[in-house]
Amino acid sequence: GEVVADRPKHARLFVRHDGQRAIVAIVHFSQEGVLYEPPGPLALSKWDPEILGDAVQTALLQSSTVPFVPRSRKDILCPVLQASGEPSPRAFISRYSQIDVFGQDQSNTVFRIEGRPLEEHELVLSARIGATPFAADLGRLLTRVADACRHRKF
């Protein structure tokens, strides 16, 4: 159904350059607008466009405003870093691309997708998709963005 929220929904996808792992994280907002990824992101070692699209749609549905962001978080990458199996933030950054999916506005009728190789902050690949695509369509678009990030073919 319709996703109505007081602010745009947001989810993050991290894809390993060798295609061996994808991590889907929910993104919450504090009332001050601080982004917060809760513990327990979903790590996938095998997926197809439908599984990927479905996981990201589920994360978007769960994205919400939280009363406060826990302060005891030493490393912003912590939950995702643990899910990645990488030994350090540096190894993670060198091996993964980040793809953000978020509502264009509070109505969440159109989602913007922004992909970037974590090593290269200046490069951003952007796409748009309606909020009610089939999961497989969303998954295919996310896969295309991940491939472009991996091969730096912008």
Side-chain angles (χ1 to χ4, degrees):
E2 287 288 299
V3 180
V4 179
D6 52 351
R7 50 171 82 235
K9 296 284 191 177
H10 195 149
R12 272 191 189 133
L13 169 66
F14 297 88
V15 182
R16 205 173 129 132
H17 298 321
D18 63 6
Q20 296 294 302
R21 185 166 288 229
I23 300 161
V24 179
I26 302 161
V27 180
H28 292 311
F29 298 85
S30 75
Q31 274 144 356
E32 300 79 50
V34 177
L35 299 184
Y36 164 61
E37 286 175 25
L42 175 67
L44 302 168
S45 53
K46 283 199 176 77
W47 63 91
D48 62 21
E50 187 146 6
I51 289 168
L52 193 60
D54 194 49
V56 170
Q57 283 179 335
T58 299
L60 286 166
L61 282 170
Q62 293 174 332
S63 169
S64 66
T65 303
V66 294
F68 65 97
V69 171
R71 294 238 178 270
S72 63
R73 301 185 52 223
K74 289 190 216 73
D75 186 352
I76 221 73
L77 285 173
C78 222
V80 169
L81 184 61
Q82 285 169 348
S84 75
E86 298 296 337
S88 68
R90 183 177 289 177
F92 177 76
I93 286 166
S94 71
R95 292 192 183 115
Y96 278 81
S97 290
Q98 174 178 323
I99 301 170
D100 284 83
V101 182
F102 45 92
Q104 187 94 336
D105 58 37
Q106 282 159 267
S107 69
N108 293 294
T109 51
V110 174
F111 283 94
R112 205 158 89 231
I113 296 169
E114 287 188 355
R116 55 179 59 81
L118 283 173
E119 291 175 299
E120 300 190 47
H121 299 292
E122 359 17 284
L123 288 182
V124 178
L125 180 68
S126 182
R128 276 187 181 73
I129 193 166
T132 50
F134 293 109
D137 293 337
L138 176 60
R140 272 191 286 278
L141 184 54
L142 290 167
T143 301
R144 284 169 57 199
V145 171
D147 288 346
C149 289
R150 183 169 73 220
H151 301 302
R152 312 290 202 273
K153 296 241 181 355
F154 279 63

